Amino acid sequence: MNVQELKHPGLKKWVEDAAALMTPDSVEVCDGTQAEYDRMIKITIDTGLATPLNPQKLPGCVLFRSDPSDVARVENRTYIASEKQEDAGPTNNWIDPEELKKTMTGLYRGSMKGRTMYVIPFSMGPVGSDIAKIGVEITDSPYVVANMHIMTRVGTKVLEVLGSNGYYVPCFHSVGKPLGPGEKDAGKWPCAPLDKKYISHFPETREIWSYGSGYGGNALLGKKCLALRIASVLARDEGWLAEHMLILKITNPQGEVKYITGAFPSACGKTNLAMLIPTLPGWTVETVGDDIAWMKFGADGRLYAINPEAGFFGVAPGTNNDSNRNAMETIKKNTIYTNVALTEDKSVWWEGIGYDAPGKLIDWNGNEWIQDKGNKEQKPAAHPNSRFTGPAKQCPVIAKEWEDPKGVPISAFLFGGRRPKTIPLVNQAKSWIHGVFMGSIVGSEVTAAALDLKAGTIRRDPFAMLPFCGYHMGDYFKHWIKIGQSHDESKLPKIFFVNWFRKNEAGKFIWPGYGENSRVLAWIFERCAGTGKGVDTPIGFLPTPDAIARPAGVSEDDMKEILKVDIAGWKAEIADVRQNHYPKFGDKLPKELYAELDAIEKRLNA
Ligand code: GTP
Ligand code: SPV
Ligand code: MN
């Protein structure tokens, strides 16, 4: 579709102004059809950016290899440019919005030369539903267009909802690599150098400006930028929640259903938990969402969640038929792979796929790679943050209500992270405010999902929202407290803390995780139903020793270890929160949270 055909004068002018600045060779409005998707893929194959995969093994699938500077989110190049620095808070990078727009306008000037500008109208949430939000992303990347087709609802149907004056969140994106006359990408992933990348958010004017990166959350602007950073600001203003949470449906052997959401930091197990195959007989888990939940209160006083996305942008390494068979089934067709390894028969391979590398591979850098299991120093064939983009509707256990605009009523919130020590397998908050306290102190070993952080160290990632909160984190805590104060607590979700990542002295995981996590979900289900057995401890309610059946390979001693209150460890945890974590938020740290900190400390000392 041509810009002249746009029926929304505001949108048309915005696109024309952007084109005048970025000077693409042509402008195209996306219609969201399969033919358009196929054309995007063909363009990327023709320019040498994509490799078509074996149509017998992986029909409709392609592989991309990105530039080594462009393999994950870049947190130190991500900005919340609120009018006042104070409103971005201590955990976000801030630049004065006027100054940032000036810098970025300079970068955008001529940035699309030699390329096509694609205008992507997209809906986060089912098209036309009350809860959905519309965005329009302008991009010069056919890779982004194809990914947006899978991750969001794209095209003409969205323009129809917009009509001639509907509201949309304007999103600029350019890879920042203009082409000279006759120049082609010729197999080289286009992006700008690290110090020219900007992932910028303007919370007051609800705008997103992204420059220089073509990867994941930096470039697919409906996801972290709109559905979390901008939506968290809307949620604060309008009294709802926009969270970095999976949504699952769990059914017990009696056929009773509950819905649970869970916030774990990036690469800490949301996709896996959302698609889990229970090892506990008679229980089933189905998927509603794997990364983001938008939650609003229903007329009955309960909190209802929708998944604003339409696909999964999941971590490939570690995904296999044992750990996550449902993901493996989902990504067998119509899937975009990025930075995994290529096999000789044009299939894909990654570390933890469940079998040895078959022969000679091409690694994510495009080099020949032969597995050498004796060499501990060998670089991985797939980047640790390599990902698949697969349609949610292809998931064998997608819940039938996953697109219901009403959302699903939530019974429990889980918080968790990678904690090798101290934090028990599961722990239930004593109250809403205690749960908010637990969310505010989430810590996790850093993973490969952000490029500029040192993997392995522990950092505090409150509510798993540290990189995704569009305003002052202290005000965000306050928002959570207010939700509790202004609603009937008996109808609010119960709050739990989980940790699948405890390690023993030898550095091995004690808990087998994955499908065995169903044992913990069953206890959580029963606690919500009022039947699960728990003991009151200084840190919260822990399962009684017989409440969670022990999985194979976990000894009685192991079980005791991961379900005990490690008094010394918790005292150190509390001291760290008091000295290093809470002071960061200054007077914005709600006094209710200091009261919780004092209370837990007192209980630990009793
Ligand atoms: P983002 O998409 O970055 O937000 O990540 P995510 O939270 O969805 O994480 P994901 O489910 O993709 O898991 C990330 C990594 O953790 C993968 O390598 C998984 O194999 C591993 N993992 C997930 N669940 C478990 C578990 O229960 N135990 C262990 N040991 N590892 C797990
Ligand atoms: C995350 O990092 O939490 C992701 C991947 O889900 S990205 O979309 O790149 O943010
Ligand atoms: Mn995520």
Side-chain angles (χ1 to χ4, degrees):
M1 184 178 163
N2 179 304
V3 189
Q4 297 314 317
E5 294 168 65
L6 283 174
K7 296 203 170 61
H8 187 302
L11 174 60
K12 182 159 163 278
K13 174 158 194 319
W14 176 71
V15 172
E16 284 168 345
D17 289 350
L21 174 67
M22 303 178 195
T23 63
D25 285 2
S26 56
V27 183
E28 220 180 88
V29 180
C30 296
D31 60 16
T33 57
Q34 182 65 38
E36 178 176 88
Y37 179 88
D38 295 344
R39 192 158 50 81
M40 293 302 120
I41 296 297
K42 181 164 186 311
I43 292 169
T44 58
I45 292 171
D46 291 347
T47 49
L49 294 175
T51 307
L53 295 171
N54 188 325
Q56 261 79 49
K57 296 191 158 180
L58 295 166
C61 296
V62 284
L63 166 68
F64 286 82
R65 285 188 282 271
S66 77
D67 185 84
S69 76
D70 208 23
V71 293
R73 287 181 293 100
V74 278
E75 294 189 6
N76 59 1
R77 307 292 314 166
T78 300
Y79 297 92
I80 301 297
S82 40
E83 277 152 24
K84 287 194 255 145
Q85 176 160 16
E86 199 200 350
D87 293 335
T91 57
N92 284 313
N93 299 308
W94 180 86
I95 297 178
D96 174 75
E98 219 173 290
E99 182 192 329
L100 182 56
K101 282 195 171 172
K102 203 166 144 213
T103 307
M104 290 188 74
T105 301
L107 292 168
Y108 281 133
R109 189 161 291 122
S111 72
M112 294 191 180
K113 213 171 244 132
R115 299 186 185 277
T116 299
M117 172 189 274
Y118 300 99
V119 181
I120 316 171
F122 65 93
S123 176
M124 300 310 290
V127 178
S129 88
D130 285 349
I131 207 166
K133 300 263 180 256
I134 291 177
V136 181
E137 176 166 353
I138 277 175
T139 181
D140 51 6
S141 164
Y143 170 82
V144 166
V145 177
N147 274 272
M148 288 293 283
H149 266 241
I150 300 175
M151 294 305 297
T152 73
R153 286 107 174 153
V154 164
T156 313
K157 54 191 188 238
V158 178
L159 288 179
E160 280 162 15
V161 174
L162 261 189
S164 62
N165 62 358
Y167 178 75
Y168 62 94
V169 175
C171 313
F172 281 161
H173 174 252
S174 171
V175 294
K177 175 75 184 73
L179 296 168
E183 192 191 348
K184 294 247 153 50
D185 285 324
K188 200 174 173 316
W189 173 273
C191 65
L194 257 180
D195 65 344
K196 289 277 172 336
K197 294 187 206 290
Y198 286 88
I199 320 300
S200 306
H201 309 74
F202 302 93
E204 285 93 0
T205 51
R206 323 256 196 253
E207 292 170 282
I208 298 163
W209 287 22
S210 166
Y211 180 90
S213 167
Y215 203 87
N218 299 335
L220 313 177
L221 303 184
K223 194 174 178 58
K224 296 304 166 47
C225 299
L226 194 161
L228 288 179
R229 298 196 190 96
I230 295 295
S232 62
V233 173
L234 302 175
R236 174 201 61 190
D237 294 348
E238 299 166 5
W240 51 284
L241 294 167
E243 300 297 328
H244 190 205
M245 287 181 173
L246 70 100
I247 311 167
L248 65 79
K249 172 183 180 184
I250 179 166
T251 309
N252 73 1
Q254 288 71 47
E256 290 153 353
V257 170
K258 293 196 189 298
Y259 301 92
I260 296 176
T261 67
F264 315 145
S266 300
C268 290
K270 289 183 299 301
T271 302
N272 276 269
L273 195 71
M275 297 181 191
L276 149 159
I277 300 175
T279 51
L280 267 190
W283 292 77
T284 55
V285 165
E286 292 161 272
T287 313
V288 178
D290 84 323
D291 199 50
I292 298 176
W294 284 353
M295 292 171 280
K296 295 189 178 172
F297 285 93
D300 60 359
R302 294 193 67 188
L303 203 48
Y304 286 76
I306 70 148
N307 169 13
E309 302 192 275
F312 308 125
F313 183 64
V315 177
T319 307
N320 63 56
N321 280 328
D322 291 325
S323 65
N324 193 347
R325 192 169 78 226
N326 288 322
M328 293 299 278
E329 291 296 322
T330 305
I331 61 180
K332 276 188 168 157
K333 55 183 185 188
N334 310 320
T335 292
I336 298 172
Y337 290 93
T338 309
N339 288 341
V340 302
L342 178 69
T343 65
E344 280 173 301
D345 65 351
K346 298 272 189 277
S347 186
V348 290
W349 189 86
W350 49 77
E351 280 69 23
I353 198 170
Y355 50 86
D356 289 344
K360 206 165 28 177
L361 307 186
I362 304 294
D363 70 11
W364 72 273
N365 283 304
N367 300 320
E368 261 188 25
W369 189 95
I370 297 170
Q371 193 168 25
D372 178 2
K373 293 208 273 184
N375 176 7
K376 290 271 174 288
E377 309 286 278
Q378 187 177 31
K379 295 250 167 66
H383 187 277
N385 192 44
S386 54
R387 299 237 170 198
F388 51 78
T389 319
K393 61 173 185 281
Q394 288 182 188
C395 178
V397 294
I398 197 78
K400 63 175 190 322
E401 52 278 67
W402 83 279
E403 296 193 278
D404 187 341
K406 282 202 313 294
V408 294
I410 302 303
S411 295
F413 287 147
L414 316 186
F415 294 115
R418 292 176 178 260
R419 294 299 302 269
K421 300 230 148 51
T422 305
I423 310 298
L425 178 65
V426 60
N427 173 22
Q428 183 187 358
K430 292 169 185 274
S431 62
W432 178 264
I433 183 67
H434 181 220
V436 173
F437 165 78
M438 298 201 315
S440 78
I441 67 165
V442 169
S444 187
E445 283 185 320
V446 166
T447 64
L451 182 61
D452 47 319
L453 302 171
K454 197 169 162 327
T457 52
I458 289 187
R459 73 160 173 176
R460 298 277 162 206
D461 186 347
F463 294 77
M465 281 290 279
L466 183 71
F468 308 121
C469 183
Y471 59 101
H472 196 299
M473 200 88 199
D475 289 334
Y476 170 91
F477 296 159
K478 217 164 279 163
H479 179 55
W480 268 81
I481 293 172
K482 239 170 74 190
I483 293 266
Q485 289 165 343
S486 51
H487 294 87
D488 176 354
E489 187 161 337
S490 72
K491 290 183 182 168
L492 288 172
K494 307 261 179 294
I495 302 180
F496 298 81
F497 211 103
V498 296
N499 180 21
W500 321 134
F501 299 96
R502 279 289 286 273
K503 287 185 176 164
N504 61 19
E505 302 291 289
K508 286 255 176 326
F509 289 120
I510 298 175
W511 180 253
Y514 303 104
E516 300 291 13
N517 294 336
S518 58
R519 296 169 192 274
V520 177
L521 291 181
W523 184 72
I524 290 168
F525 183 111
E526 285 158 2
R527 289 296 290 177
C528 294
T531 55
K533 287 186 285 178
V535 271
D536 197 356
T537 80
I539 58 170
F541 294 105
L542 294 189
T544 55
D546 59 338
I548 294 182
R550 193 153 53 84
V554 179
S555 71
E556 238 172 276
D557 282 350
D558 285 343
M559 205 65 193
K560 270 199 197 122
E561 178 62 25
I562 59 180
L563 285 178
K564 76 168 195 210
V565 183
D566 169 3
I567 298 278
W570 271 96
K571 283 185 178 169
E573 184 80 5
I574 294 307
D576 181 58
V577 169
R578 197 183 286 288
Q579 279 153 31
N580 305 313
H581 181 48
Y582 275 1
K584 286 191 293 244
F585 306 100
D587 11 325
K588 291 262 196 186
L589 199 286
K591 59 179 187 326
E592 290 89 342
L593 294 183
Y594 270 121
E596 282 300 309
L597 189 67
D598 293 342
I600 188 171
E601 188 166 49
K602 210 165 135 204
R603 294 195 298 265
L604 287 166
N605 284 324

